[in-house]
Amino acid sequence: MIPWEKMTGNGYKSGKMKPAVRMDQSWLMRYLRAAALSRSIVLTFIVGLLSLLLLGWWVAVKPDEIAMKTTPNGRADDIGGPDPVIELPRPVSVTTTLPRLKYEPKVLVFAETQYSPLGRDIVTVLEAVRKKFRVELGGKNVPVLTSEDRGKFSLIVFENVDKYFKMDKWNRDLLDRYCREYHVGIIGFPPLLEHTLIGATVPNMQMLMHTNVQLQDYTVNVASPVLHLTKGGQSLEGVLPGDDWTVFVPKHETYEIVAWALLSSPLNSTPSANSTQLPTVVLDTGKLDGVRRVFFGQSLKFWLHKMLFLDAMGYLINGGHQLMPLTRYILIDVDDIFVGRKGTRMNISDVQAMISTMMRWRKTVAGFRFNLGFSGKYFHAGFEEENKGDDLLLANASKFWWFCHMWGHSQPHLFNASTDVIIREMQLNYQFAKENGIPTNSGYVISPHHSGVYPVHEPLYDAWRRIWNAQVTSTEEYPHFKPMHIHRGFIYRDIRVLPRQTCGLYTHTIFLESYPGGKERLERNILGGDLFMTFLYNPINIYMTHLSNYANDRLALYTFENLFQFIGKWTNLELRSAPPLEMAKLYFHMFPGDVDPVWHNPCDDKRHMQIWASSKSCERLPKFLVVGPQKTGTTALYSFLSMHPAIRSNYHNPETFEEVQFFSGKNYHKGLDWYMNFFPLPDNSSAQYLFEKSATYFDGELVPVRAFSLIPRASIIVIVIDPVRRAYSWYQHMRAHGDRTARQHSFLDVISASRDSPLPLRNLRNRCLKPGEYAVHIEKWLDHYPANQLLILDGDELRRSPVSVMHKVQRFLKIKPFIDYTDLLRYDAKKGFYCQVVNGESNRCLGRSKGRRYPPMDAEAEKFLQHYYQPYNVALHKVLTRLNQPVPLPRWLQADLH
Ligand code: A3P
């Protein structure tokens, strides 16, 4: 850490502070202190020069990385040059020796238990860097991977490498062969052994290991090809945490040392080893058996191993480092400008310190400026010195970036306010900016307390666009505040919402001495802790700080100064900054998958509930969904359910044939409020079971994840009939609706359309056949919903015996009161189907479009489809047997397999 006493004159506070605080003499401090000032100056110069050369090389040679340029349009002013404009990188073309893959390859993690800390740390890292993974728990035997699993996995990680070392020969050979043939690397973390081994032979590995040793003085090998994020050649002096280290002693040239350490207490049995460098991370280059592996001698609780784990993954997957770019963008927001209790606000010297620090940081963080968010209502509301601080900020307005916070800051009810009220507030702040020379064109806005951003309050978005022409905002609430390593962005109503990170500083954390958890906690956060890791994980970082963090002990300056130093020492990262609009463009360019939001249930998150309008209610969400697929009898089920006094369906949507079709199409972008308007307010309805039927949900690619995010406890009802019949019924339905392609082509033409057929015909074929691939879609629902929330009905049974099906449904949903449908449904000979009994007399049947009459399917088409669906039906049989429903299994399925 930068020692506190050194901070005076460096932009940090010494005046208002308690007597100079001496930082801990921990091992972590000492090595940083050792960097003398003079050396830093020379180093800074050399690093600066090298960076320039590197930058040139970078832009020219590495098109897949991010280049930044300044354009004549950029803002030139008194702090040195125009604002950066980010040149978006060309899409990365990933070269791979593998042929085109059917699956997106995953990292396969063998974890000990669901709760093991290392297993969870591994998952955290994978989630943070958006790597797809699959976890296999416990089990003594590692599942056998064969050529059928080709392309499914890109890397295998053993939480306890002992599992791998001790596999029986047959299985070990199979696994190694899979890795060799499909270029899959292995990462192993130390064996979980309670006893200490010295010089133990590692089976089949041509290396020895010592376990449970204590180490000191950690060094990263500058020559290791594994390093990417991690800077080589650095040493961490002092005793390393934990007495459970494993070290590996290679006995073959296949091994290269990635990092080593020294023994901190001698090993009696091998005195010669006491002073030797003992490898703590080794790379097996594959010279021995063609499999590349990296072994770690300590878990991820050691911060350097988190970084080396990222590097090892990058190295082993596709043999490159495409896992993470080396550029990190940073934007530091300073919320609450002009806000704060008297005595805690910035005075003149604080403002001067802020400006001088900003100028200094611009040398290490290209293009850096603080991004100030102001609330004009509280201007000049401090002591005299603080009011002068306000004036000084305004006098230097052109040096900063600015954004609208809100006129009055303390509006926890903003998310309840109408568009008019919000507009009035915004206009006041806008006027204040205009009168005081604050730029109003950044396009960036921030809501106090994140209210209204997520969960979305539409009037806020409307007002932002109208008054501030807002294009970008940020929040730490999406999808949730915790876990923090997966803050993400989305776009709503053309406003790009970027993820925001916390750096551990809040409005009330203003003195180092009284930092919650002690100053050690803040230091840990910076020196390899959460703040540092956030930086590693995210190419684009927007940090939230507050005005009070720049007054008092100036903790924000202290935190980021130390963070930048630490990053410079331990990583190869290049730091840059850019205005929010540029950051937003880059973010959604890099992560196009984040563009569409996924709405979550505000009632499942306490923080969200606090910033959600009190007039809204999660009771206006369905308790179950009938998801289809189309033409299986969904309308019949819908109409029978609606007869039940405790069940209520959605209001009709005239645009989509009454169905809401929220989760499957463009309606999803209309937001949660739009969806909830299709359901009655709890006070206006006595029905306890709201439901919705949209038959296109079943096979919608994104529907299961979207539905589960919003209504995770809902039940899902699926109906299946013979897929051959379903396809034909759908074709007839399209013809009846006047679909031109369906009218112009026979059924056989449609289903047998090939790659060479015209696009409309191919599209029709896919829409006709895809929903009948039942097993594929059911598995996708099961990826999210637990099996006991899924009810699968036999559509033939619904047709033949709807009363028994309705009883089944009620029992499954545990609906009260239980209604006997025997007298409510009656077979109508004219219609040929069961219909509702009205007043005990007449029948109310479904309309003409349900239960149509059309010629029988031609035999060739039927044969074609039977063949087409055969493998899907085999898979369906498997999944239905596993789920043990419907009972009995549909007759057509049994007949088909027979
Ligand atoms: P057909 O019109 O091809 O016969 P969906 O409502 O999911 O679109 O399904 C329509 C199908 O429901 C009809 O297809 C029909 O076979 C079937 N169905 C089942 N029970 C029915 C009922 N009681 N009344 C009308 N159609 C019913």
Side-chain angles (χ1 to χ4, degrees):
M1 297 292 281
I2 305 297
W4 196 264
E5 53 274 43
K6 286 237 172 92
M7 294 181 182
T8 320
N10 228 355
Y12 304 95
K13 192 77 146 222
S14 66
K16 211 187 279 184
M17 222 178 53
K18 329 269 172 346
V21 183
R22 271 187 68 77
M23 298 310 247
D24 251 350
Q25 292 294 324
S26 68
W27 54 270
L28 214 42
M29 308 297 174
R30 267 184 278 136
Y31 73 80
L32 271 177
R33 281 199 162 197
L37 190 64
S38 57
R39 221 169 63 195
S40 332
I41 294 168
V42 177
L43 264 176
T44 312
F45 177 71
I46 296 170
V47 169
L49 203 67
L50 280 175
S51 310
L52 274 176
L53 289 172
L54 248 170
L55 186 70
W57 169 82
W58 193 254
V59 175
V61 183
K62 299 270 273 185
D64 56 327
E65 287 277 357
I66 301 144
M68 186 170 66
K69 65 176 185 180
T70 52
T71 68
N73 304 336
R75 192 175 69 144
D77 53 36
D78 52 348
I79 75 165
D83 279 343
V85 175
I86 300 171
E87 200 170 85
L88 299 179
R90 265 192 267 139
V92 181
S93 64
V94 180
T95 48
T96 162
T97 47
L98 293 171
R100 282 179 77 79
L101 301 172
K102 200 171 159 205
Y103 308 92
E104 187 181 346
K106 291 180 178 158
V107 174
L108 178 60
V109 181
F110 292 110
E112 291 297 284
T113 69
Q114 207 176 341
Y115 307 102
S116 51
L118 174 55
R120 289 219 299 248
D121 281 349
I122 293 169
V123 166
T124 298
V125 173
L126 293 171
E127 282 176 342
V129 298
R130 299 162 185 257
K131 269 257 135 261
K132 290 243 155 55
F133 59 90
R134 191 174 107 192
V135 179
E136 290 280 339
L137 289 181
K140 283 200 177 124
N141 294 325
V142 174
V144 177
L145 298 176
T146 64
S147 57
E148 275 192 17
D149 301 301
R150 171 185 201 176
K152 276 191 189 165
F153 303 109
S154 56
L155 179 73
I156 297 174
V157 179
F158 285 90
E159 179 190 348
N160 175 7
V161 76
D162 217 33
K163 280 256 158 69
Y164 176 65
F165 290 157
K166 294 201 176 140
M167 278 172 89
D168 64 79
K169 186 167 170 2
W170 171 263
N171 282 319
R172 169 74 184 269
D173 283 352
L174 278 178
L175 183 63
D176 283 352
R177 187 195 300 170
Y178 177 85
C179 291
R180 193 165 37 247
E181 287 184 2
Y182 305 119
H183 310 282
V184 176
I186 291 177
I187 292 181
F189 286 96
L192 296 175
L193 300 173
E194 280 179 9
H195 48 283
T196 302
L197 298 173
I198 303 299
T201 306
V202 180
N204 304 316
M205 297 306 302
Q206 301 226 10
M207 69 177 179
L208 307 178
M209 67 180 178
H210 314 317
T211 64
N212 293 334
V213 291
Q214 245 190 332
L215 299 175
Q216 64 183 32
D217 302 342
Y218 196 97
T219 303
V220 180
N221 179 9
V222 71
S224 172
V226 171
L227 306 186
H228 175 61
L229 299 169
T230 317
K231 191 182 272 182
Q234 298 299 330
S235 291
L236 196 58
E237 285 164 24
V239 176
L240 297 171
D243 55 3
D244 54 350
W245 285 76
T246 294
V247 291
F248 305 97
V249 186
K251 296 287 175 201
H252 191 276
E253 57 168 351
T254 187
Y255 296 107
E256 289 180 8
I257 296 171
V258 181
W260 67 79
L262 304 179
L263 279 174
S264 69
S265 52
L267 297 172
N268 294 336
S269 54
T270 51
S272 61
N274 294 344
S275 59
T276 33
Q277 298 168 341
L278 294 169
T280 50
V281 181
V282 287
L283 163 70
D284 178 350
T285 57
K287 278 187 197 142
L288 195 59
D289 60 4
V291 182
R292 295 186 312 153
R293 310 168 177 95
V294 176
F295 298 118
F296 282 80
Q298 178 58 283
S299 69
L300 296 179
K301 68 186 175 197
F302 180 50
W303 67 270
L304 245 170
H305 281 188
K306 280 195 188 141
M307 190 157 55
L308 286 171
F309 177 48
L310 285 173
D311 281 352
M313 281 201 285
Y315 182 77
L316 293 176
I317 298 173
N318 283 335
H321 297 300
Q322 287 147 356
L323 201 62
M324 299 244 83
L326 281 180
T327 308
R328 290 291 176 277
Y329 280 87
I330 177 168
L331 181 70
I332 302 182
D333 283 359
V334 189
D335 292 0
D336 302 354
I337 293 291
F338 309 129
V339 184
R341 262 186 306 119
K342 271 186 177 180
T344 64
R345 298 163 58 123
M346 288 167 82
N347 58 31
I348 289 185
S349 71
D350 294 323
V351 176
Q352 284 165 341
M354 185 187 214
I355 294 172
S356 65
T357 306
M358 175 167 74
M359 303 309 287
R360 195 156 38 76
W361 286 356
R362 281 172 71 84
K363 294 180 188 116
T364 37
V365 187
F368 181 81
R369 294 172 199 260
F370 283 111
N371 193 27
L372 307 189
F374 62 99
S375 296
K377 184 176 177 183
Y378 311 103
F379 182 65
H380 274 182
F383 289 123
E384 199 186 333
E385 271 296 290
E386 294 171 331
N387 294 345
K388 284 184 187 163
D390 288 357
D391 292 333
L392 194 58
L393 274 177
L394 286 185
N396 287 282
S398 67
K399 292 189 168 72
F400 301 103
W401 292 317
W402 291 83
F403 63 89
C404 169
H405 205 27
M406 191 51 84
W407 167 248
H409 182 272
S410 51
Q411 292 129 336
H413 301 303
L414 181 68
F415 49 85
N416 268 326
S418 66
T419 311
D420 289 348
V421 170
I422 300 175
I423 282 185
R424 222 173 306 134
E425 286 280 321
M426 283 184 187
Q427 272 169 337
L428 287 169
N429 220 26
Y430 188 82
Q431 213 173 316
F432 171 82
K434 283 287 173 206
E435 284 164 8
N436 290 284
I438 295 176
T440 54
N441 58 354
S442 72
Y444 185 62
V445 283
I446 287 292
S447 163
H449 314 291
H450 304 265
S451 54
V453 183
Y454 192 79
V456 160
H457 184 53
E458 309 208 355
L460 177 69
Y461 282 70
D462 287 345
W464 266 341
R465 284 216 70 98
R466 279 161 64 178
I467 308 303
W468 285 91
N469 187 24
Q471 294 162 66
V472 187
T473 181
S474 62
T475 185
E476 56 186 16
E477 294 295 338
Y478 179 77
H480 301 282
F481 181 65
K482 280 186 179 170
M484 292 190 180
H485 65 273
I486 44 173
H487 287 178
R488 297 285 185 254
F490 64 93
I491 301 183
Y492 185 62
R493 296 202 164 194
D494 276 345
I495 294 187
R496 298 172 172 107
V497 183
L498 289 174
R500 219 165 182 222
Q501 316 294 348
T502 50
C503 60
L505 301 177
Y506 302 91
T507 27
H508 53 274
T509 44
I510 54 179
F511 293 112
L512 186 63
E513 286 289 74
S514 53
Y515 187 83
K519 64 182 191 299
E520 295 75 16
R521 179 145 173 247
L522 179 61
E523 286 162 16
R524 261 202 318 273
N525 195 21
I526 302 166
L527 307 180
D530 288 345
L531 180 57
F532 174 71
M533 288 316 297
T534 305
F535 230 91
L536 278 196
Y537 296 149
N538 296 298
I540 293 165
N541 295 272
I542 301 184
Y543 284 104
M544 180 177 69
T545 62
H546 310 84
L547 171 116
S548 54
N549 308 135
Y550 296 81
N552 312 296
D553 273 1
R554 297 176 192 157
L555 287 186
L557 301 185
Y558 172 76
T559 298
F560 283 99
E561 178 79 21
N562 281 294
L563 180 69
F564 295 155
Q565 293 254 350
F566 195 75
I567 288 169
K569 178 174 166 69
W570 285 101
T571 77
N572 292 317
L573 295 177
E574 180 196 6
L575 304 182
R576 292 177 176 184
S577 188
L581 254 172
E582 293 296 313
M583 301 273 253
K585 273 191 237 160
L586 180 63
Y587 180 88
F588 290 104
H589 179 83
M590 292 182 91
F591 306 116
D594 282 8
V595 167
D596 286 343
V598 177
W599 309 120
H600 298 81
N601 192 332
C603 299
D604 289 345
D605 184 323
K606 264 192 200 156
R607 290 172 64 98
H608 289 181
M609 279 305 282
Q610 284 163 7
I611 52 173
W612 202 43
S614 46
S615 59
K616 299 177 187 174
S617 160
C618 298
E619 295 304 312
R620 291 183 88 182
L621 289 171
K623 288 217 167 47
F624 67 97
L625 297 178
V626 177
V627 298
Q630 282 176 296
K631 310 318 293 172
T632 54
T634 54
T635 316
L637 179 64
Y638 170 87
S639 78
F640 301 159
L641 284 166
S642 304
M643 297 167 75
H644 197 293
I647 299 178
R648 169 106 191 233
S649 77
N650 54 280
Y651 302 131
H652 289 170
N653 181 359
E655 284 171 21
T656 40
F657 304 103
E658 302 175 354
E659 296 185 344
V660 187
Q661 298 187 2
F662 175 64
F663 296 107
S664 51
K666 57 181 177 6
N667 287 338
Y668 191 70
H669 302 287
K670 294 180 180 161
L672 191 52
D673 294 351
W674 180 88
Y675 184 51
M676 291 199 312
N677 277 334
F678 282 95
F679 299 95
L681 276 166
D683 298 349
N684 299 346
S685 165
S686 58
Q688 299 147 28
Y689 298 89
L690 298 181
F691 84 103
E692 192 227 317
K693 183 274 278 189
S694 292
T696 48
Y697 285 169
F698 177 65
D699 53 306
E701 196 63 32
L702 294 171
V703 178
V705 64
R706 287 175 171 177
F708 185 72
S709 301
L710 187 62
I711 40 174
R713 285 171 296 282
S715 299
I716 306 296
I717 301 181
V718 173
I719 311 175
V720 290
I721 61 168
D722 181 353
V724 177
R725 263 185 43 224
R726 199 214 71 85
Y728 189 52
S729 165
W730 187 84
Y731 166 76
Q732 293 297 345
H733 171 81
M734 295 309 281
R735 278 175 69 91
H737 275 267
D739 182 275
R740 273 183 60 190
T741 318
R743 280 178 164 269
Q744 282 167 0
H745 293 89
S746 71
F747 182 50
L748 184 62
D749 281 352
V750 173
I751 56 177
S752 58
S754 69
R755 268 198 216 160
D756 307 323
S757 306
L759 187 64
L761 193 57
R762 274 185 284 143
N763 283 343
L764 197 71
R765 171 194 184 271
N766 291 342
R767 288 170 58 212
C768 182
L769 298 185
K770 207 179 124 209
E773 298 164 4
Y774 298 134
V776 175
H777 307 297
I778 291 174
E779 291 289 5
K780 282 188 186 151
W781 284 95
L782 288 171
D783 276 348
H784 301 279
Y785 281 93
N788 63 5
Q789 284 174 237
L790 204 64
L791 175 66
I792 299 178
L793 298 174
D794 175 359
D796 282 349
E797 191 188 352
L798 176 68
R799 187 175 167 157
R800 280 191 321 267
S801 166
V803 171
S804 70
V805 171
M806 291 317 292
H807 292 173
K808 254 187 209 172
V809 172
Q810 288 182 83
R811 278 195 293 273
F812 175 79
L813 296 171
K814 299 192 178 75
I815 287 186
K816 284 186 189 136
F818 182 92
I819 299 292
D820 186 348
Y821 273 74
T822 311
D823 296 329
L824 299 180
L825 303 176
R826 182 159 60 204
Y827 184 75
D828 185 296
K830 197 165 154 223
K831 177 77 180 168
F833 287 92
Y834 274 81
C835 301
Q836 295 182 28
V837 178
V838 184
N839 299 330
E841 291 173 10
S842 54
N843 294 344
R844 188 190 295 142
C845 300
L846 295 184
R848 275 194 322 186
S849 64
K850 304 292 165 185
R852 283 197 182 92
R853 292 175 202 271
Y854 36 78
M857 195 183 326
D858 99 18
E860 198 182 338
E862 188 167 359
K863 213 166 152 203
F864 179 95
L865 283 184
Q866 273 165 356
H867 181 71
Y868 177 87
Y869 281 120
Q870 223 260 332
Y872 296 106
N873 286 347
V874 172
L876 179 68
H877 187 268
K878 263 192 200 163
V879 69
L880 295 187
T881 310
R882 196 173 87 217
L883 295 173
N884 195 26
Q885 57 165 323
V887 180
L889 284 180
R891 283 188 216 158
W892 59 265
L893 183 60
Q894 296 187 36
D896 187 72
L897 297 183
H898 187 68

